[in-house]
Amino acid sequence: MNGREIPQWLSDAQRYEPRADRDGFLDRTILGLSALCARMASSREKPADLVRVSPEIMILSLLLVVLFISLSRGFAFVSIVMAAELAVLSSLDAECILRSLKTAASAAAFAACVMFPSLFLSGPAPFAAITLKTYASVTALSILSGVTRWDTLTEGMRILPVPGIFILVIDITVRYISLLGDLAVEMFRALKLRSVGR
C-alpha cells in the first residue's frame, strides 16, 4: 500500500445509529428544578417595600391569626378570616394567587383525608371544621411568603424567642439551596447533552 493512499476503514461510510433512549426522567427533573430555582430567584428579587408593614408585625399577626383559628369553636371567625384572605389575595398578582390557592387546597385535601373517618364517628362538623381551619391557616402562610422576601422573614424572626444561631442556619440554608438547585440543573443538562443512545 502506498503511503499516500487512504486506508479502507477510513473511507467507509459511518452508519452509527444509536438506540433510542428514554430521557423523560431527566426532562421532568430539569423542569422541576428550573421552576423551583425560578421561584426562589423571584422571591429574592421582590421589592423590599412590596408590603409597607414591618416583617415583625406581619409574623406576629400571622401567629395570632393561626392561634385564633385553631382556638375558634364555630365557623364565624374562620369565615371572617377567609373573607379577609380573599380580599388580600385579590390585590396580588395572578401567579401568587394561583400558588397560594394550590398550596392551601393541597393541605386541605390532606387534612380531609386524615379526618375522613371522623365523618362516621362524630359527624360532619369536626371534619368540616378541621378542613376549613387548615385551609385558612395555610392560605395565610402562603400570602405571607408570597408578599415577603426570605431575608425579610428571617430578619423579622428576631422578635420571636428563637436563638440567633437558628435564624442564621435558616438564612444560610435558603441561600445555599438556591445555589445547589442551579448547580443541579446544570449537571442534569450536561448529563442529557452527553447521553447518546442507551
Side-chain angles (χ1 to χ4, degrees), residues 1 12-13 16 31 52 71 112-113 117 119 122 135 140-141 154 157 174 180 193:
M1 180 180 72
D12 289 341
Y16 175 68
L31 288 175
R52 299 183 184 278
L71 293 178
C113 291
L119 282 173
S122 56
Y135 187 85
L141 183 61
T154 53
M157 289 176 67
V174 170
L180 180 63
L193 291 174

Side-chain angles (χ1 to χ4, degrees), residues 20-30 191-193 195 197:
D21 193 11
R22 294 188 297 270
D23 54 356
F25 171 75
L26 280 176
D27 293 335
R28 289 191 301 270
T29 306
I30 290 173
L191 177 62
K192 183 178 179 181
L193 291 174
S195 297

Side-chain angles (χ1 to χ4, degrees), residues 4-5 31 33 47 52 56 64 66 69 74-75 86 91 105 117 124 130 142 147-148 159-160 173 189:
R4 296 182 179 179
E5 293 181 0
L31 288 175
L33 285 174
R52 299 183 184 278
E56 293 87 357
L64 289 176
V66 172
I69 286 175
F75 293 99
L86 184 62
S91 64
I130 296 297
S142 299
V147 300
T148 314
I159 63 166
L160 304 176
T173 301
R189 283 178 179 160

Side-chain angles (χ1 to χ4, degrees), residues 1-11:
M1 180 180 72
N2 193 350
R4 296 182 179 179
E5 293 181 0
I6 299 177
Q8 182 64 30
W9 62 269
L10 192 57
S11 61

Side-chain angles (χ1 to χ4, degrees), residues 76-92:
F77 181 74
V78 179
S79 301
I80 293 172
V81 170
M82 291 179 70
E85 290 172 350
L86 184 62
V88 173
L89 279 174
S90 64
S91 64
L92 302 178

